Amino acid sequence: VHPAYKWLWKSYCQPRRNFFFWPLLKDRVSTRAPLRRKNMELECYSCVHCLLDTDETLLHLFFHCPFALACWNTLGMANLVQLDVFQTLTAFRDHLQKPFLMEIIISMCWAIWSSRNDSIFRNIQHFLALCKFTFRKELALVKLRA
């Protein structure tokens, strides 16, 4: 078992954020690629954040999409993204070396996920500033819990 699971359950994020991140580690988040595998009919299976016409997989949405890379770049961690979730988390951990590592990662993933859902379900255009605002709001909640 990868140590990321231990890091996850020791984090001070809201329990619902931890429960969101747990399926993310197991590649069970309902992005468009798993929905296609389950034969769910959608108009389009490409990522809503980018114009590359790339399938929306977990790795693409949270780490390889240009929008996600811009979000991670605000934290100075875009160049650490690897080909695997666990390798990326390990690279982030080695770079940050902070006790609140998972809180940062979970909050940014939640901000990206919220931006994606706002684009799909509320027809709100995604902006980097809105993602940063959501990230800061989540970290403020973590600060209150800690």
Side-chain angles (χ1 to χ4, degrees):
V1 176
H2 195 273
Y5 291 103
K6 187 185 291 185
W7 305 335
L8 167 65
W9 298 117
K10 287 185 178 183
S11 79
Y12 287 104
C13 287
Q14 293 180 356
R16 71 173 89 164
R17 304 300 182 252
N18 290 341
F19 284 114
F20 156 76
F21 198 74
W22 180 52
L24 191 144
L25 289 177
K26 299 175 84 51
D27 194 14
R28 297 287 188 248
V29 175
S30 291
T31 58
R32 293 173 183 227
L35 294 176
R36 176 184 272 179
R37 284 194 307 255
K38 293 177 184 177
N39 296 323
M40 184 172 218
E41 295 279 335
L42 297 177
E43 290 179 20
C44 179
Y45 294 98
S46 60
C47 179
V48 296
H49 283 155
C50 62
L51 303 172
L52 301 176
D53 197 32
T54 306
D55 279 356
E56 186 187 74
T57 63
L58 180 123
L59 280 173
H60 175 77
L61 177 66
F62 290 104
F63 299 109
H64 297 149
C65 178
F67 178 75
L69 286 173
C71 292
W72 289 111
N73 197 37
T74 61
L75 302 175
M77 299 192 311
N79 59 338
L80 301 172
V81 173
Q82 307 291 321
L83 296 176
D84 179 50
V85 173
F86 295 109
Q87 291 172 351
T88 301
L89 292 177
T90 304
F92 286 171
R93 181 174 187 240
D94 293 341
H95 176 73
L96 281 180
Q97 296 181 353
K98 304 280 185 205
F100 50 89
L101 161 83
M102 284 308 286
E103 288 81 0
I104 292 171
I105 295 171
I106 293 169
S107 297
M108 184 56 79
C109 287
W110 180 257
I112 293 169
W113 181 252
S114 297
S115 174
R116 175 234 188 229
N117 287 343
D118 286 345
S119 295
I120 293 173
F121 299 115
R122 295 183 182 167
N123 203 20
I124 297 173
Q125 187 68 19
H126 61 275
F127 294 105
L128 185 60
L130 184 61
C131 188
K132 286 169 45 175
F133 174 77
T134 305
F135 172 73
R136 287 186 186 133
K137 184 175 72 172
E138 289 298 317
L139 276 185
L141 291 173
V142 169
K143 185 178 172 183
L144 288 174
R145 288 184 55 87

